[in-house]
Amino acid sequence: MDFIGEIAALATSFFFAFTSIIFTSTGRRVGSQVTNRIRLVFALVYLFILNLILFHEPLPFSAGTSRWMWLGISGIIGLALGDIFLFQAYISVGTRLGVLLLSLAPIFGSLISWIFFGETLTALQITGIVLALAGIGWVVLSHEEPADTPHGHTRRGVLFGVLAGLGQATGLVLAKQGMTGNLSPFQGNAIRMLAAATFIWLWTVIAGQTGATIETVRRHPKVLLLIALGAVAGPLLGVSASLLAVQHAEVGVASTLMALPPVIVLPISYFVFKEKVGWQGVAGTVLAIVGVAVLFLA
């Protein structure tokens, strides 16, 4: 069977798991908003160069108005607004609950795809999604956050987390509509990233944060190198792989497999950072893997 979409979605999770470690480090040094703004700039430059090499144009100007509309709106909702809501959720309710609320994305994606585009899932696929999400949730809830992690489980923080999941799901559904046919994921990613970067930087200018952002980066040149590296793994390779995933698989299946970074990061935390991993984390990982296996058998 053809598992291009599922394999691309798994690759997305590995790319996002790697980049999450980098951006967590840079976010602690210069702030998540500065990291977000700069990573989009790097990703856009990378995509311009890559598309120029592969397709002899920095952007897919001949892709058609419809593709630009779908992918542009997808970039604003999924890559810009979705991340803004997610960062605000982290601040209000902490990383653990924020990630857990983001895991609602596959459910939102499946519902949106079914209601508006008639995309349906088999009973076995639904079973795999439920098992994988249960495993992810178990891993996230078993993780003990540092003492300085922000807390205060406010309604506002939960709302932001739900909106982050909805934003990610909506972005993927819209991206799938723009990726119909044989458009390269790198070309589609360039459109999404251009829309997201334009939106974020216009927001930055309006908020009067441009000078502060540049000054922060100027004072932390080593952080700039880390963000540049993270932009390769996440916004460049990860987002491109996610477009390939929704191009060849159902949104619900793809977004479930993309929600695995908390599970993937677990062994890295244990073996590299020597963090304690309880039996709940191990059990949740096993359950998530079973769910993934079911999705590949469906």
Side-chain angles (χ1 to χ4, degrees):
M1 293 179 68
D2 183 6
F3 291 119
I4 293 177
E6 288 83 355
I7 293 171
L10 278 177
T12 301
S13 274
F14 278 97
F15 286 132
F16 284 170
F18 177 72
T19 200
S20 70
I21 296 171
I22 294 177
F23 288 154
T24 296
S25 174
T26 61
R28 286 172 179 168
R29 299 187 200 180
V30 298
S32 60
Q33 297 300 338
V34 171
T35 295
N36 189 32
R37 293 163 191 158
I38 302 303
R39 69 169 184 148
L40 290 175
V41 173
F42 274 117
L44 202 54
V45 171
Y46 295 153
L47 285 164
F48 281 173
I49 295 172
L50 189 60
N51 278 294
L52 201 57
I53 294 170
L54 295 177
F55 309 107
H56 309 294
E57 57 179 5
L59 290 167
F61 298 111
S62 59
T65 305
S66 177
R67 285 189 192 277
W68 274 82
M69 181 192 72
W70 285 116
L71 291 168
I73 297 173
S74 164
I76 292 172
I77 294 176
L79 299 178
L81 290 174
D83 281 349
I84 288 173
F85 288 135
L86 182 60
F87 291 147
Q88 290 301 315
Y90 287 162
I91 292 171
S92 298
V93 296
T95 306
R96 181 172 61 175
L97 186 54
V99 170
L100 188 61
L101 292 168
L102 186 64
S103 297
L104 294 171
I107 299 172
F108 288 138
S110 297
L111 289 173
I112 295 169
S113 297
W114 172 58
I115 293 171
F116 293 101
F117 302 106
E119 186 176 286
T120 58
L121 298 171
T122 65
L124 196 56
Q125 286 175 319
I126 293 172
T127 300
I129 289 173
V130 170
L131 289 173
L133 291 181
I136 294 166
W138 203 348
V139 168
V140 172
L141 289 175
S142 69
H143 175 66
E144 292 185 8
E145 295 178 340
D148 59 350
T149 299
H151 287 292
H153 296 252
T154 63
R155 292 181 181 179
R156 184 170 175 234
V158 172
L159 176 62
F160 280 136
V162 172
L163 288 174
L166 182 59
Q168 186 179 87
T170 305
L172 285 174
V173 172
L174 295 177
K176 185 177 180 71
Q177 307 313 308
M179 290 299 296
T180 54
N182 58 356
L183 186 71
S184 164
F186 292 121
Q187 291 178 306
N189 193 5
I191 296 174
R192 292 187 82 210
M193 206 63 64
L194 176 64
T198 301
F199 181 89
I200 287 293
W201 277 97
L202 279 175
W203 189 312
T204 302
V205 171
I206 292 171
Q209 293 295 314
T210 308
T213 300
I214 295 173
E215 177 60 22
T216 299
V217 172
R218 190 188 66 78
R219 287 188 282 107
H220 298 85
K222 291 183 179 179
V223 170
L224 195 63
L225 293 175
L226 276 176
I227 295 176
L229 176 62
V232 174
L236 175 61
L237 298 177
V239 175
S240 296
S242 74
L243 293 180
L244 183 62
V246 296
Q247 197 173 31
H248 293 277
E250 292 85 352
V251 172
V253 173
S255 54
T256 299
L257 295 172
M258 290 178 207
L260 290 170
V263 175
I264 295 169
V265 168
L266 201 67
I268 297 175
S269 299
Y270 180 75
F271 290 107
V272 178
F273 299 110
K274 308 302 180 183
E275 294 181 5
K276 288 181 61 178
V277 177
W279 68 268
Q280 298 97 329
V282 175
T285 299
V286 172
L287 186 59
I289 292 172
V290 170
V292 170
V294 171
L295 285 175
F296 274 86
L297 292 172

